Structure formats: structure tokens, C-alpha cells
Amino acid sequence: MADDARRFVDQWVADWNAHDLDALLSHYADDVVFTSPLAARLLPGSDGVARGKDALRSYWTAGLAALPDLRFEVLEHYVGASTIVIRYRNQSGGVVCEVLEFDRELVTRGHGTYLAG
């Protein structure tokens, strides 16, 4: 699992830094559910939840439009049972944790989490 997780994290950050949504979304199930406080701002009426790959694409497309300099630096990652947590620094220096739950190779649930305060 550790080697698979490392490969996933390396590809995840490469896809984000290339702004390649097609490559990034290829790792997510069609019925993925993704939560994030930013989704509440970028997807009106979503209450912070993107349901399905199309909604996730809409959320991330809006995010990239709002932040054209978006870039991530992975600080570390944690491996659990069918779960990876990626702790990274974004282009503005903020530290974020993304919690990703898997069914085999595909992410079925994800949560963008931010420092409270």
C-alpha cells in the first residue's frame, strides 16, 4: 500500500501543478463525493459538497479560474486502510490536508480540510 500511495500522491501533485483536470479526475469514481469549505464559495447552492465527477470538475474548474497561479508542494502523506491523507502547502503558503477514501484504485470520497481560525 505504501508504494501505491506514494505513486498516487506523486501523480496527484503533478496533475494539480499541470492544471490537468482530465488526468486528475481519472483517479476519481464517477459517483465521488467531495467536501470542502471552498466548494461552498465556488459552487453556489452546494453547501460545500460536490456530488459526482461532473460537479467536482465544475468546482475545480472554478477554482483554477479564480487561482490561475495554483500550485501545491506536498509536505507529507499518511496511509490508512483505504485512505490517504495528503498534507500540502498551496501557492499562498497555506497548509491544507486532503483526506481521500478509496475503493480499489479510485477515490470515492474526499475532504479538503483547512486550519481553523
Side-chain angles (χ1 to χ4, degrees):
M1 177 72 177
D3 289 341
D4 292 339
R6 173 84 266 164
R7 279 190 293 278
F8 177 87
V9 171
D10 289 347
Q11 190 60 56
W12 179 90
V13 74
D15 294 343
W16 268 117
N17 289 341
H19 296 189
D20 188 343
L21 290 185
D22 288 330
L24 189 60
L25 286 164
S26 73
H27 302 288
Y28 291 76
D30 289 340
D31 60 349
V32 64
V33 175
F34 193 91
T35 67
S36 169
L38 293 180
R41 291 199 322 240
L42 296 172
L43 287 178
S46 71
D47 292 325
V49 182
R51 296 183 196 287
K53 199 182 276 193
D54 289 341
L56 192 54
R57 178 186 294 279
S58 295
Y59 166 43
W60 288 345
T61 297
L64 287 174
L67 300 166
D69 62 336
L70 183 127
R71 181 156 183 79
F72 298 156
E73 171 197 358
V74 173
L75 302 173
E76 54 205 356
H77 72 279
Y78 307 87
V79 180
S82 301
T83 305
I84 297 174
V85 177
I86 304 170
R87 184 172 171 265
Y88 63 92
R89 185 179 327 279
N90 64 24
Q91 74 288 342
S92 61
V95 176
V96 180
C97 288
E98 196 142 318
V99 180
L100 303 174
E101 300 173 35
F102 291 78
D103 181 5
R104 295 183 184 88
E105 297 87 33
L106 295 178
V107 176
T108 56
R109 294 187 64 81
H111 311 279
T113 63
Y114 299 81
L115 187 61

